[in-house]
Amino acid sequence: MLSWLPIASASDFSIHNLPFGIFSTANLSDPRVGVAIGEQILDLAAVADRAVFDAFLTVEQRDVFRRTYLNDFIRLGRPVWQQVRSVLQAELTDPESVLRSGSDQVLVPQANATMHLPVQIGDYTDFYSSIDHASNVGKMFRDPANALLPNWRHLPVGYHGRASSVVVSGTSIKRPNGQQLPKGEVLPVFGASQRLDFELETAFVVGKDTPLGTSLTTADFDEHVFGMVLFNDWSARDIQQWEYVPLGPFLGKSFGSSISPWVVTMDALAPFRLAGYVQDPTPLPYLHETNPLPNLDIQLVVGLTPGAGGNGAEETIISRSNQRFLYWSQAQQLAHHTVNGCNIRVGDLVASGTISGPDRSSWGSMLELSWGGTEPIALVSGKTRTFLQDGDTVTFHGYAEKEGIRVGFGAVSGQIVP
Amino acid sequence: MLSWLPIASASDFSIHNLPFGIFSTANLSDPRVGVAIGEQILDLAAVADRAVFDAFLTVEQRDVFRRTYLNDFIRLGRPVWQQVRSVLQAELTDPESVLRSGSDQVLVPQANATMHLPVQIGDYTDFYSSIDHASNVGKMFRDPANALLPNWRHLPVGYHGRASSVVVSGTSIKRPNGQQLPKGEVLPVFGASQRLDFELETAFVVGKDTPLGTSLTTADFDEHVFGMVLFNDWSARDIQQWEYVPLGPFLGKSFGSSISPWVVTMDALAPFRLAGYVQDPTPLPYLHETNPLPNLDIQLVVGLTPGAGGNGAEETIISRSNQRFLYWSQAQQLAHHTVNGCNIRVGDLVASGTISGPDRSSWGSMLELSWGGTEPIALVSGKTRTFLQDGDTVTFHGYAEKEGIRVGFGAVSGQIVP
């Protein structure tokens, strides 16, 4: 597929991708729905005005492109997501497209746009589905010989996160205060976290409501999931370690989580599916995978840029991981999440948990990369880090690539401020 | 204060109360804002049409009474909550009130109304603030000699719950399926929970947004909290026990939580304030209480009615507890929740955790009342229970009473279905 629009071959936003997001500009100050293409954004409200969706969307339905979140568009259902995407692919490759003449009225340079939170998030859930991450944490905090807890290989362990503090890429993250128990002490102290960390994750966005009391199977995944984003589950390890027994992480996480602004559809990611882990023991029947290719080959890259002053603003790639390192697939997460009858709603965010691979170069948190703060991470500037310092910026990139086709997420980025 | 409207002296919904809720009827099919008074509901949209709020609410502001959730009303702020309540008290006690003639146009019998979820809940948080409950659970599951974990007396332990599955009183609760580890086994099994329980809780409703990155103190409580509801945090103990390490409760809770439909304002509860626990050790400064009366004297009663068939439908009162048994006050919960900069939003629900008192008669869950299922609870019908059976209905009542003044919550009730 070749577009009449110039698109760099290395662009995350190829004609094969077409991710959805919410943008505004100085002229279009009300946030609205856009689709990323190359270095541009297709303004879907303006595109709809050229009648290209009239065959399958009513006037009322076309109004979803003027909303401040994607939720109403997503609620139209998978056939509509697919039709919109395929109409846009057709128009962008058709030299005679109605979008081409006066294209400056339907296209906005990404450089001129402000991106907003793409979905209104009802609930945000965080899983813990990377076996290497769970093993690393278990080795550090519990028993190296029994790093995984007894339930880990039987179910995708997960917990509820805070939805209110999920922010879009580019939002600064304020170093949190909280209680910490200094090593060897019995009384906690209060202060700014000294062990501030990122967690390399992805998340999927729920695409269809379920009623309370119903369950989904792994086979329901395609119909019920809209797309994916990159996800940084910022973590204050010292606060977390003191508070987390027995009810799990709370203030060690709820000060902020960052997501990338473009939601890449599961349809765009379909060519990059691959086999999952061999799961031993075999999970209970409700977790059986019906998709022979339940996992995804998505490259994940973590860059750390020291902030404050001088010439230190050089990025070091400190981890290269991959979505394929998830032991529990997204479809298994969905089946598990709803097996008790818990309802899900359009816009809910379901995150993977930190994605670490088997090699140290692929670990997805500073906790792991610095082995609990004992082995500093070298940066290209000659500096080192165990945990994040004020002014540091963490940026994740994610992309799938195969046979010259690239489908990327862009970036999720956030800077630590005091 | 005496009303021209007949109100039974034992009514939860006295002239001193005036709780807010969302109701509909056959004629008023769009849910809207009401205030409970005696056995009636004041239809606030109809009340507003009689111009009693015109002195302090604009036309646009008065439209909040036609919304399907209280959130927009709550967003108007505490001075408005107080003015609306005091105008209603004045009108209901004034024999010449404009509400009195043609009062059938502003009043709806509660018996004819359907109650709805009162607020759109952004996030729901559950604390664990009763020392007797935490001690009981610790004794059963861990070490009787060290029942409380090291952090418990230093901070109000809490976790994020599932907002999507919070339902209004009267909604049936479907017995959840899930993984459980049978006693003495190493492999989990799948099936319906066999240890289904209630948790006697209350929750407060957030009344004012905060921006991400800001913290509240205990002194901010009055301005930032709108009111309270009764809260049943249904729990599947077998699912919970297998899944909860290391990230806390998840599917053992997320199948449903029930709230009472009427939100009792903190202003109505103010006369029932009393001193809190003597906290030892003294908490860190950010948790210091500024209110000398941080706790509340609210009687809490739990009734269990066996369901299925015959004459078994007789209620047994199985627990009498009190809001005063909370070791950590609501203001301390709020200060702790936001100390890391976590933002809160109007409509967020912050629950107390199970409220158990020192005596067995005041314990707030069947897990405690049957001591882990080993000591059956006797019902008036001659039946016994360790955990809930299909058809059982659990009903909480809550009320504060003092010097002839009664301010009650009504009930939160739910029946277990297979």
Side-chain angles (χ1 to χ4, degrees), chain B residues 58-384:
Chain B
T58 65
V59 177
E60 291 74 32
Q61 288 176 323
R62 297 197 302 268
D63 197 50
V64 297
F65 300 125
R66 297 182 193 279
R67 306 281 159 79
T68 54
Y69 292 106
L70 294 175
N71 298 50
D72 288 338
F73 166 62
I74 297 173
R75 262 185 214 105
L76 296 178
R78 191 180 184 212
V80 170
W81 320 331
Q82 292 180 321
Q83 275 172 304
V84 166
R85 196 162 153 268
S86 92
V87 162
L88 293 177
Q89 278 179 336
E91 293 294 338
L92 286 167
T93 49
D94 176 6
E96 311 295 320
S97 168
V98 294
L99 303 185
R100 193 168 186 181
S101 89
S103 68
D104 57 330
Q105 284 147 35
V106 296
L107 289 167
V108 170
Q110 286 171 29
N112 297 349
T114 301
M115 298 304 299
H116 302 270
L117 205 61
V119 283
Q120 187 168 29
I121 302 159
D123 281 283
Y124 143 51
T125 302
D126 198 18
F127 278 97
Y128 188 54
S129 289
S130 150
I131 194 165
D132 291 296
H133 172 67
S135 300
N136 285 337
V137 172
K139 282 177 198 166
M140 271 186 270
F141 290 125
R142 287 179 296 268
D143 176 5
N146 296 289
L148 293 178
L149 286 165
N151 57 14
W152 201 92
R153 284 177 181 272
H154 295 282
L155 55 84
V157 171
Y159 68 103
H160 307 294
R162 180 83 189 174
S164 72
S165 54
V166 176
V167 296
V168 73
S169 177
T171 309
S172 296
I173 298 294
K174 207 167 153 184
R175 181 179 296 273
N177 286 323
Q179 286 196 28
Q180 306 135 35
L181 188 70
K183 215 171 178 172
E185 300 289 328
V186 294
L187 288 179
V189 298
F190 178 82
S193 170
Q194 300 304 306
R195 291 165 76 91
L196 189 54
D197 200 355
F198 66 84
E199 288 195 337
L200 173 62
E201 307 196 16
T202 63
F204 67 78
V205 175
V206 169
K208 188 175 176 182
D209 292 348
T210 59
L212 186 61
T214 57
S215 303
L216 298 176
T217 69
T218 58
D220 294 318
F221 184 84
D222 289 345
E223 193 186 337
H224 283 269
V225 176
F226 175 66
M228 281 176 67
V229 292
L230 303 175
F231 191 88
N232 186 342
D233 181 27
W234 305 96
S235 299
R237 301 299 179 188
D238 35 16
I239 296 171
Q240 183 185 349
Q241 199 172 357
W242 171 234
E243 75 176 356
Y244 91 103
V245 283
L247 300 181
F250 184 47
L251 302 188
K253 304 273 192 178
S254 63
F255 58 93
S257 315
S258 303
I259 65 172
S260 54
W262 294 107
V263 185
V264 177
T265 63
M266 298 316 298
D267 289 315
L269 292 165
F272 308 99
R273 290 218 161 268
L274 40 68
Y277 265 74
V278 176
Q279 297 180 322
D280 180 23
T282 302
L284 285 162
Y286 80 94
L287 290 168
H288 281 187
E289 263 298 355
T290 41
N291 187 338
L293 303 174
N295 236 334
L296 285 161
D297 183 11
I298 302 172
Q299 309 278 343
L300 300 167
V301 182
V302 181
L304 195 161
T305 309
N311 300 314
E314 202 179 340
E315 185 177 61
T316 305
I317 301 302
I318 60 173
S319 180
R320 290 179 187 277
S321 190
N322 194 303
Q323 173 83 13
R324 71 196 301 170
F325 295 138
L326 290 184
Y327 181 93
W328 293 104
S329 75
Q330 294 172 320
Q332 287 175 320
Q333 292 168 1
L334 186 71
H336 184 64
H337 204 319
T338 59
V339 74
N340 67 341
C342 178
N343 56 330
I344 57 172
R345 297 179 294 188
V346 165
D348 285 351
L349 220 51
V350 180
S352 57
T354 307
I355 305 178
S356 295
D359 302 324
R360 185 165 198 147
S361 63
S362 62
W363 291 351
S365 68
M366 295 179 84
L367 178 73
E368 293 164 270
L369 292 165
S370 74
W371 204 251
T374 61
E375 302 173 18
I377 304 158
L379 305 185
V380 290
S381 55
K383 298 178 179 175
T384 62

Side-chain angles (χ1 to χ4, degrees), chain A residues 73-85:
Chain A
F73 165 62
I74 296 174
R75 263 186 211 104
L76 296 177
R78 192 180 185 213
V80 170
W81 319 332
Q82 292 180 321
Q83 277 173 302
V84 167
R85 197 162 152 269

